[in-house]
Amino acid sequence: MKIRHLNHGICYMLYVICDRITSFNMKKIDEDYRTLLTVLCVLLSFQYSMPCVIRMQNNSLGLMKFADCKGHEYRNVPTNLTSDIDVIDLTHNNITVLRNNSFSRYSILKEIIIRFNKLDTIGIDAFAGLYKIQSIDMSDNSLDVFNVYTPDLFKHLTNVTHLDIRRNKPTIATNTAPQHYPDKAFAVLTKIAFLAVDLIPYPYFGPGFKNLQSLKTLKFENCYLKLLRNNTFAHFSSFLEELVLSGCRRNFIQTEHGVLSKFENLIKLNFAESCVHLIQALKLLYVYKNKKMETLILSSLNCVRFSTKQYPYVMTVSAEMMKYLKTICVESLDLSDNGIVDYEPNSLFSYDRPECITNMNFMGNRFSLKFGIQMNELNSFFRNAVSLKTLVYSYIAVRYKLPDRSYDKDLQNDNADNFIFLPNSLEKLLVNNIISTDFVKVFVIQKESNLRVLDLSYSLSSTSLIFQKGNISKLEILTLDGVIFVLTSMEMEQFQNFSLKKLIWRDAKLHYVVTNHNNKYASSIKKLFSKFTSLEYLDLANNELFGLFDNLLVNMKNLTELYLSKNLFESIPVAILKLNSIKVLNFQNNLLATIDSNTRDWADRMNKKHGLTLLLGNNAFECNCNTLEFIKWLKQTKVKLDRESYNCIINNGTIISTLEAYHKMDKLFFSCNSKLWLTISSLVMATCITGTFLLIVYSKRWEICVFLYQKFRNLIETKFKKQYTYDLYVSYETDSMYWIKTVLLPKVEDEWGLKVCLKDRDFLVGVSRFDIEAESIQQSRHVMFIITPSFKNSKDYLFEIERVKYEKMMKNMANILVIVKDISISDIPIELSYIWNNVSLVQWTENSEKLDIIWQRMKICLSTDCLGYFISNTVNNNNTIPHARKINAVTYGSTSNQFE
């Protein structure tokens, strides 16, 4: 990339030199050399002009000839483009200076975009010759408002209607005196309708701004503002329609009471993400009392770092604060993210003209919908808000559930206050990401509702939503991210919607219900999905899915986009191959090793029918003999893929690209045919050997049966004379008592039904402890040692170990288990090493995945039936197999050299 940019710079420099040379009288230069130099210069000019793409494009001014010169490291405005361009875009270059006559070649230019450069100087005739220019965007540069904008700077731009010079060089105030904008520079812009400039800390716009009588929109963004005085905007036109003051968070903005009095005809006011504070902003609205406004954005005004007692970060909305806002007939109202934790009666939902409101946004606050008079106001508001189309009550973190309190229960029993009837005009309802379990609330969607968009994602709330009986749903977009089906199955089964077009259900652990036919929710999910006959868009990403029911999607005849990324699919489910309308299929970030022939054929059919986009990035593709056809298909298919090539792993573990595998196929996969014949010959040989063995067994079948019958009969008759009182004797110390009581006994006695002997529970008082230990060990089928830090420091276990060794030697004991808990394996008492070959070792862990394996293997060891145990002893007596279990010691088992 750097070399390319360097070449462009060299070409431009040579082009300028050529331009100078060819402009001189070169009579002394040989005509051939002159011709050669001219050709060279033309070629260099062509090379330099290549980065700019010329095309026809529609924008706000109509169909324009557009010169796209973005990101090519230009240091000056290129002068070699076609002269009839209408728009030039020089975004992301290195232009620092606009010299005089920079655009004189392009006299019909209507729009200049020169954003994200290093522009700090502009010549007074830089825009000379631009008689048709209407729009200039010089935002995101280094222009100094006090040094650059000279009185004659804009003298050639009298026809400009759009000027954007935001986010330029910041101005830091040294005192609190008003800072005058260079109003003489802007005074010539008599036709301007849109002006976006930086706002300095203590601004004052001089009398030159009186000439801007056509101005409709005034924007300030990411500014350094500190104070707005009553006379700050005194010279602007009173016919301004839109004022934007957003992103000014560097300072706390003090405002005098009448700062907006000049803009009495304002219909759009935006203070988003500026540290004005909601209390101040609401006071400024007195100018618009009883008037009509289209948009009022008062979001994120309370900045935590400027929180004071007078202007706190968290606040309760009062009736006094709302006294001006409630009188305004506003269409779109945004009060999001203002730290609102509560509201008083006659405040937040009390408006003189609620029928005006079409959009209302409370996202990111922390107030709960309460009871009593506030609930009456809320339902009254919804009854009268007959034009409300969008309601956002999202990202509301009130609190987690606390212990029940009697007065809360009494309030919750008042069912009349729990129902919130939403207006029929509502089309979009967002109640996602809510943490509020204090009160039970029910949003009621009424019969004649026009609701089309509903988002219930990621909420931990006792608030629910129901469709009134007889409701003919018009819902088209439903988002249920993070909503677990097993927690909402009852509501889902009653969900009636045949008009749904878009369903987004991500991160909801749906693998529990769509992969196992025996799951009790399987029929419910099938029934639910069968209702989505009009669905066009389905997103089930990040659900740990590894399969789908074959007929899960069969009723979705109109499904065109299916997103199954970030799951665990190893192959494309058969359910998808039954769909005939798919245009976009996303299987990114799965475990696909290949795509089988049926899926490839289906993809080609879909692409031939209506076009198919198949997204397969970040899968576990393999490049081997089994995937050769898939590698060829990736190169040859007409299906639109997200990448030209994908990573895959070959047999030796090396990662290459599928494109490289395709081009080197003969070299990489030359052995595939030989492996095929080797496989066939191996199968033939194995079949012959197996057949011979079966013939021998068949010919000796009676002798084998008689031999096995005698052995089993003798074994059972001999060994069944032994009787046990306990299934398991446990040797332990006091620091493991709690674990035995809460973990071991519930599992072994209650769940497995085994009888356990514990010295603190089962030993009789008054009997010699050593006698009763010896007798209990003798009467136990298995023995368990629980090795803890206290166990090692005790000496009582020595007698138990010696007794266990004796019983094991006498063949009176089946299994010996050692559980190591809270210490390392290397700290196990050395005395146990004498019986190590007969021990099964357990390194206890709290890891849930390993713990399941440990319990399973312990159950097998402790539940060995008599026949299995006696067979094991009999085989050992004949020295056929060793008695010691040798299993992975990390999870469960032992090795005889663990302490060596």
Coordinates of all heavy atoms in Angstrom, one line a residue, residues 644-680:
E644 N -13.4 -15.7 -2.0 CA -12.9 -16.5 -3.2 C -12.3 -17.8 -2.7 O -12.3 -18.8 -3.5 CB -11.9 -15.6 -3.9 CG -11.3 -16.3 -5.2 CD -10.3 -15.4 -5.9 OE1 -10.0 -14.3 -5.4 OE2 -9.8 -15.9 -6.9
S645 N -11.7 -17.8 -1.5 CA -11.1 -19.0 -1.0 C -11.2 -19.1 0.5 O -11.4 -18.1 1.2 CB -9.6 -19.0 -1.4 OG -8.9 -20.1 -1.0
Y646 N -11.2 -20.3 1.0 CA -11.3 -20.6 2.4 C -10.1 -21.4 2.9 O -9.5 -22.1 2.2 CB -12.6 -21.3 2.7 CG -13.8 -20.7 2.3 CD1 -14.4 -21.0 1.0 CD2 -14.5 -19.7 3.0 CE1 -15.5 -20.4 0.5 CE2 -15.7 -19.1 2.6 CZ -16.2 -19.4 1.3 OH -17.3 -18.8 0.9
N647 N -9.8 -21.2 4.2 CA -8.7 -22.0 4.8 C -9.2 -23.4 5.0 O -10.4 -23.7 5.3 CB -8.3 -21.4 6.2 CG -7.5 -20.1 6.0 OD1 -6.9 -19.9 5.0 ND2 -7.5 -19.3 7.1
C648 N -8.3 -24.4 4.8 CA -8.6 -25.8 5.1 C -7.4 -26.5 5.5 O -6.2 -26.0 5.4 CB -9.2 -26.5 3.8 SG -8.0 -26.6 2.4
I649 N -7.5 -27.6 6.2 CA -6.4 -28.4 6.7 C -6.2 -29.6 5.9 O -7.1 -30.3 5.6 CB -6.7 -28.7 8.2 CG1 -5.4 -29.3 8.9 CG2 -7.9 -29.5 8.4 CD1 -5.5 -29.4 10.4
I650 N -4.9 -29.9 5.6 CA -4.6 -31.1 4.9 C -4.2 -32.2 5.8 O -4.1 -32.0 7.0 CB -3.5 -30.9 3.8 CG1 -2.3 -30.3 4.4 CG2 -4.1 -29.9 2.8 CD1 -1.1 -30.0 3.4
N651 N -3.9 -33.4 5.3 CA -3.7 -34.6 6.2 C -2.5 -34.4 7.1 O -2.5 -35.0 8.2 CB -3.5 -35.8 5.3 CG -4.7 -36.2 4.6 OD1 -5.8 -35.9 5.1 ND2 -4.6 -36.9 3.5
N652 N -1.5 -33.6 6.8 CA -0.3 -33.5 7.7 C -0.5 -32.4 8.7 O 0.4 -32.0 9.4 CB 1.0 -33.2 6.8 CG 0.9 -32.0 6.0 OD1 0.0 -31.2 6.2 ND2 1.9 -31.7 5.2
G653 N -1.7 -31.8 8.7 CA -2.0 -30.7 9.7 C -1.7 -29.3 9.2 O -2.0 -28.4 9.9
T654 N -1.2 -29.1 8.0 CA -0.9 -27.8 7.5 C -2.2 -27.2 7.0 O -3.0 -27.8 6.4 CB 0.1 -27.9 6.3 OG1 1.3 -28.6 6.8 CG2 0.5 -26.5 5.8
I655 N -2.3 -25.8 7.3 CA -3.4 -25.1 6.8 C -3.1 -24.4 5.5 O -2.1 -23.6 5.4 CB -3.8 -24.0 7.9 CG1 -4.3 -24.8 9.1 CG2 -5.0 -23.2 7.3 CD1 -4.7 -23.8 10.3
I656 N -3.9 -24.6 4.5 CA -3.7 -24.0 3.2 C -5.0 -23.4 2.8 O -6.0 -23.5 3.5 CB -3.2 -24.9 2.1 CG1 -4.2 -26.1 1.9 CG2 -1.8 -25.5 2.5 CD1 -3.8 -27.0 0.7
S657 N -5.1 -22.8 1.6 CA -6.4 -22.3 1.1 C -7.0 -23.3 0.1 O -6.3 -24.0 -0.5 CB -6.2 -20.9 0.4 OG -5.4 -21.1 -0.8
T658 N -8.3 -23.2 0.0 CA -9.0 -24.1 -0.9 C -8.6 -23.8 -2.4 O -8.5 -24.7 -3.2 CB -10.5 -24.0 -0.8 OG1 -10.9 -22.7 -0.9 CG2 -10.9 -24.5 0.6
L659 N -8.2 -22.5 -2.6 CA -7.8 -22.2 -4.0 C -6.4 -22.8 -4.3 O -6.2 -23.3 -5.4 CB -7.7 -20.7 -4.1 CG -7.5 -20.1 -5.5 CD1 -8.6 -20.5 -6.4 CD2 -7.4 -18.6 -5.5
E660 N -5.5 -22.8 -3.3 CA -4.2 -23.4 -3.5 C -4.4 -24.9 -3.7 O -3.7 -25.5 -4.5 CB -3.3 -23.1 -2.3 CG -1.9 -23.7 -2.4 CD -1.1 -23.4 -1.1 OE1 -1.6 -22.7 -0.2 OE2 0.0 -23.9 -1.1
A661 N -5.3 -25.5 -2.9 CA -5.6 -27.0 -3.0 C -6.1 -27.3 -4.4 O -5.8 -28.3 -5.0 CB -6.5 -27.4 -1.9
Y662 N -6.9 -26.4 -4.9 CA -7.5 -26.7 -6.3 C -6.4 -26.6 -7.3 O -6.3 -27.5 -8.2 CB -8.5 -25.6 -6.6 CG -9.1 -25.7 -8.0 CD1 -10.1 -26.6 -8.3 CD2 -8.6 -24.9 -9.0 CE1 -10.6 -26.7 -9.5 CE2 -9.2 -25.0 -10.3 CZ -10.2 -25.9 -10.5 OH -10.7 -26.0 -11.8
H663 N -5.5 -25.6 -7.3 CA -4.4 -25.5 -8.3 C -3.3 -26.6 -8.1 O -2.6 -26.9 -9.1 CB -3.8 -24.1 -8.2 CG -4.7 -23.0 -8.7 ND1 -5.3 -23.0 -9.9 CD2 -5.2 -21.9 -8.0 CE1 -6.0 -22.0 -10.0 NE2 -6.0 -21.3 -8.9
K664 N -3.1 -27.1 -6.9 CA -2.1 -28.1 -6.7 C -2.7 -29.5 -6.4 O -2.2 -30.3 -5.7 CB -1.2 -27.7 -5.5 CG -0.5 -26.4 -5.7 CD 0.4 -26.1 -4.5 CE 1.2 -24.8 -4.7 NZ 2.0 -24.5 -3.5
M665 N -3.9 -29.8 -7.0 CA -4.6 -31.0 -6.7 C -3.9 -32.2 -7.1 O -3.8 -33.2 -6.3 CB -6.0 -30.9 -7.4 CG -7.0 -32.0 -7.0 SD -8.6 -31.7 -7.7 CE -9.1 -30.2 -6.8
D666 N -3.2 -32.2 -8.2 CA -2.5 -33.4 -8.7 C -1.3 -33.7 -7.7 O -1.0 -34.9 -7.5 CB -1.9 -33.2 -10.1 CG -3.1 -33.1 -11.1 OD1 -4.2 -33.6 -10.8 OD2 -2.8 -32.5 -12.2
K667 N -0.7 -32.7 -7.2 CA 0.5 -32.9 -6.3 C 0.0 -33.3 -4.9 O 0.6 -34.2 -4.3 CB 1.3 -31.6 -6.2 CG 2.5 -31.7 -5.4 CD 3.3 -30.4 -5.4 CE 4.5 -30.5 -4.5 NZ 5.3 -29.2 -4.5
L668 N -1.0 -32.7 -4.4 CA -1.5 -32.9 -3.0 C -2.3 -34.2 -2.9 O -2.2 -34.9 -1.8 CB -2.3 -31.8 -2.5 CG -1.6 -30.4 -2.3 CD1 -2.6 -29.3 -2.0 CD2 -0.6 -30.5 -1.2
F669 N -3.0 -34.6 -3.9 CA -3.9 -35.8 -3.7 C -3.6 -36.9 -4.7 O -4.6 -37.6 -5.2 CB -5.4 -35.3 -3.9 CG -5.7 -34.1 -3.1 CD1 -6.0 -32.8 -3.6 CD2 -5.7 -34.2 -1.7 CE1 -6.3 -31.8 -2.8 CE2 -6.0 -33.1 -0.9 CZ -6.3 -31.9 -1.5
F670 N -2.4 -37.0 -5.1 CA -2.0 -38.1 -6.1 C -2.3 -39.5 -5.5 O -2.5 -40.4 -6.3 CB -0.5 -37.9 -6.5 CG 0.4 -38.3 -5.4 CD1 0.9 -39.6 -5.2 CD2 0.8 -37.3 -4.4 CE1 1.8 -39.9 -4.2 CE2 1.7 -37.6 -3.4 CZ 2.2 -38.9 -3.3
S671 N -2.2 -39.6 -4.2 CA -2.4 -41.0 -3.6 C -3.8 -41.4 -3.4 O -4.1 -42.5 -2.8 CB -1.6 -41.0 -2.3 OG -2.2 -40.1 -1.4
C672 N -4.8 -40.5 -3.7 CA -6.2 -40.9 -3.4 C -6.6 -42.1 -4.1 O -7.3 -43.0 -3.5 CB -7.1 -39.7 -3.9 SG -6.9 -38.2 -2.8
N673 N -6.2 -42.4 -5.4 CA -6.7 -43.6 -6.1 C -6.0 -44.8 -5.5 O -6.7 -45.9 -5.3 CB -6.3 -43.5 -7.6 CG -7.2 -42.4 -8.3 OD1 -8.3 -42.2 -7.8 ND2 -6.6 -41.9 -9.3
S674 N -4.7 -44.7 -5.1 CA -4.1 -45.9 -4.5 C -4.7 -46.2 -3.2 O -4.8 -47.4 -2.8 CB -2.6 -45.6 -4.4 OG -2.4 -44.5 -3.5
K675 N -5.1 -45.2 -2.4 CA -5.7 -45.5 -1.2 C -7.1 -46.2 -1.4 O -7.5 -47.0 -0.5 CB -5.9 -44.2 -0.4 CG -4.7 -43.6 0.2 CD -5.0 -42.3 0.9 CE -3.7 -41.7 1.6 NZ -4.0 -40.5 2.3
L676 N -7.7 -45.9 -2.4 CA -9.0 -46.5 -2.7 C -8.8 -48.0 -2.9 O -9.5 -48.9 -2.4 CB -9.7 -45.9 -4.0 CG -11.0 -46.5 -4.4 CD1 -12.0 -46.4 -3.4 CD2 -11.4 -45.9 -5.7
W677 N -7.8 -48.4 -3.8 CA -7.6 -49.8 -4.0 C -7.1 -50.5 -2.7 O -7.4 -51.7 -2.5 CB -6.5 -50.0 -5.1 CG -7.1 -49.7 -6.5 CD1 -6.8 -48.6 -7.3 CD2 -8.2 -50.5 -7.1 NE1 -7.6 -48.7 -8.4 CE2 -8.4 -49.8 -8.4 CE3 -8.8 -51.6 -6.8 CZ2 -9.4 -50.3 -9.3 CZ3 -9.8 -52.1 -7.7 CH2 -10.0 -51.4 -8.9
L678 N -6.2 -49.8 -1.9 CA -5.8 -50.4 -0.7 C -6.9 -50.6 0.3 O -7.0 -51.7 0.9 CB -4.8 -49.4 0.0 CG -4.2 -49.9 1.3 CD1 -3.4 -51.2 1.1 CD2 -3.3 -48.8 1.9
T679 N -7.9 -49.7 0.3 CA -9.1 -49.9 1.1 C -9.9 -51.1 0.7 O -10.3 -52.0 1.5 CB -9.9 -48.7 1.1 OG1 -9.2 -47.6 1.5 CG2 -11.2 -48.8 2.0
I680 N -10.0 -51.3 -0.6 CA -10.8 -52.4 -1.2 C -10.1 -53.7 -0.8 O -10.8 -54.7 -0.4 CB -11.0 -52.3 -2.7 CG1 -11.9 -51.1 -3.0 CG2 -11.6 -53.5 -3.3 CD1 -12.0 -50.7 -4.5

